[in-house]
């Protein structure tokens, strides 16, 4: 899966870190929410389109201003 977009809540503590990703394999889309860094819990939701993945990612991030997009290389 290729990461198309990635947001991070700005918290560096293992318990507080949150990440939200929009990913694709070239045919399908998914949104992945990760809690607690690489060794934490995650939830993955399949989406029928890029637009629906963006809507879900927005909803999972909420409105807190600390979220920032991390640019993909």
């Amino acid at each position: 899966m290729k990461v198309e977009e990635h947001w991070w809540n700005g918290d560096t503590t293992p318990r507080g870190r949150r990440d939200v990703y929009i990913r694709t394999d070239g045919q399908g889309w998914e949104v992945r929410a990760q809690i607690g860094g690489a060794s934490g819990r995650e939830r993955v939701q399949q989406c029928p389109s890029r637009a629906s993945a963006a809507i879900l990612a927005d909803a999972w991030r909420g409105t807190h201003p600390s979220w920032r997009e991390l640019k993909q290389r």
Side-chain angles (χ1 to χ4, degrees):
M1 293 296 263
K2 178 183 176 201
V3 174
E4 292 288 320
E5 293 188 68
H6 175 199
W7 295 269
W8 169 50
N9 70 343
D11 193 326
T12 58
T13 65
R15 293 189 68 175
R17 183 177 178 119
R18 305 286 187 269
D19 295 271
V20 175
Y21 303 85
I22 294 177
R23 305 187 316 173
T24 185
D25 62 2
Q27 295 183 348
W29 295 90
E30 71 180 27
V31 178
R32 177 177 166 224
Q34 191 171 20
I35 299 170
S39 62
R41 299 181 331 229
E42 70 176 34
R43 179 176 177 185
V44 177
Q45 177 69 47
Q46 302 298 319
C47 296
S49 67
R50 171 79 171 80
S52 64
I55 291 168
L56 181 59
D58 287 345
W60 282 2
R61 286 194 322 271
T63 59
H64 197 278
S66 67
W67 285 97
R68 56 192 84 156
E69 185 172 2
L70 300 177
K71 298 296 179 186
Q72 302 306 304
R73 295 180 184 190

